[in-house]
Amino acid sequence: MTTTLYTAAGSVGLASHIALEEINDTGKLDYDLVLLDMQNNEHRGSNYKAINPKARVPSLIVNETVLTETPAMLVYLAQIAPESSLVLPDDPMQFALIQSFNSYLCSTVHIAHAHKYRGNRWVDDEAALAALTANVPKTMTDCCISLEEHFIEGPWVMGNTFSICDPYLFSIAAWLESNGVDMDQFQKIKNHQEIMLTRNSVKSAMQQLQSG
Ligand SMILES: N[C@@H](CCC(=O)N[C@@H](CS)C(=O)NCC(=O)O)C(=O)O
C-alpha cells in the first residue's frame, strides 16, 4: 500500500498529518509527505488540480484513490489502524459524538475562519467582503464558546481518551489568535493546545513542516 499526504503549512492538513504520525508511533504505516506552497498558489496549479480538482489541501492518496475532506480522512486513518491511539469507539453513540464534533469543525468553524482570508468565495462586492471579514472575530469567538460549553470535555475533546477529534481541534485552534479571538476566555482550548504540544506526533509533524 502506498500512502501520500498532500498538505501545506498553516492548513487544516495538519490534522491528518498528526494522525499519520500517531499511527507511525506504532510503526505500522509508511507514508510520503508532499508540502505545497500555498502562498505561491501551488495548490491551484495544474499538477495538483489533476490530483484534487477542488484545489484544496489536504488530499490523501492511497494507492490510486484520492481521499479529500478532513473528517473522512481521519475516520479512514483510524479504521486502518485500530491498534493506534486513533482507535474508534465500538459504541454507536460515542462514535456519533466524534462525528458530531468533527462535522462542527468542518462545516461551521473552518468556514467561519475562511471568511477572513477567502471571503471572495462568497461575495464579490468590496463592502460586503469587508463586512464579512470584520465579523470574523465575533463568529470565531461564538464558535469557541460553543466548543468550550457544548463539546470539549477536557483534557482531550472526548474526555480522558485521545481521539481523532484532537488533531482536528489542534489544527483549527492554531488559527484562533489571528482570527481575533481572545484566547484568555477559552481555558479548555488553551489547555488542549498545551497537552497536544507534548505529543511526539505533534512535535514530529511540526518539525517536518518547518524543515519542509
Ligand atoms: N473541507 C475541507 C477544507 C479544505 C480547505 O479548505 N483547505 C484550505 C486550507 S486550510 C485550502 O486548501 N485553501 C485553499 C484555497 O482556498 O485556495 C477539509 O476539511 O479538508
Side-chain angles (χ1 to χ4, degrees), residues 10-13 38 41 43-44 55-58 68-71 73 106 110 113 118 121 168 175:
S11 80
V12 74
M38 246 182 9
N41 284 325
H43 62 296
R44 293 183 179 156
R56 304 277 179 89
V57 289
T68 63
E69 303 303 324
T70 298
M73 290 165 61
C106 189
H110 194 161
H113 160 78
R118 309 285 188 203
R121 277 185 208 154
Y168 205 173
W175 304 331

Side-chain angles (χ1 to χ4, degrees), residues 167-180:
Y168 205 173
L169 174 62
F170 181 74
S171 308
I172 285 194
W175 304 331
L176 295 175
E177 278 202 58
S178 72
N179 288 165

Side-chain angles (χ1 to χ4, degrees), residues 73-90:
M73 290 165 61
L74 290 172
V75 169
Y76 168 76
L77 291 172
Q79 281 180 332
I80 61 162
E83 73 295 339
S84 76
S85 60
L86 306 177
V87 62
L88 296 171
D90 289 333

Side-chain angles (χ1 to χ4, degrees), residues 13-85:
L14 181 61
S16 299
H17 191 177
I18 292 171
L20 282 160
E21 286 298 315
E22 288 284 334
I23 297 174
N24 258 354
D25 262 5
T26 59
K28 291 278 164 59
L29 183 70
D30 278 337
Y31 71 96
D32 294 318
L33 185 71
V34 180
L35 291 181
L36 299 177
D37 183 353
M38 246 182 9
Q39 306 293 334
N40 285 317
N41 284 325
E42 202 181 349
H43 62 296
R44 293 183 179 156
S46 54
N47 286 351
Y48 184 62
K49 277 171 81 174
I51 296 166
N52 180 354
K54 288 186 281 192
R56 304 277 179 89
V57 289
S59 300
L60 187 72
I61 321 301
V62 182
N63 297 330
E64 304 298 312
T65 304
V66 179
L67 185 60
T68 63
E69 303 303 324
T70 298
M73 290 165 61
L74 290 172
V75 169
Y76 168 76
L77 291 172
Q79 281 180 332
I80 61 162
E83 73 295 339
S84 76
S85 60

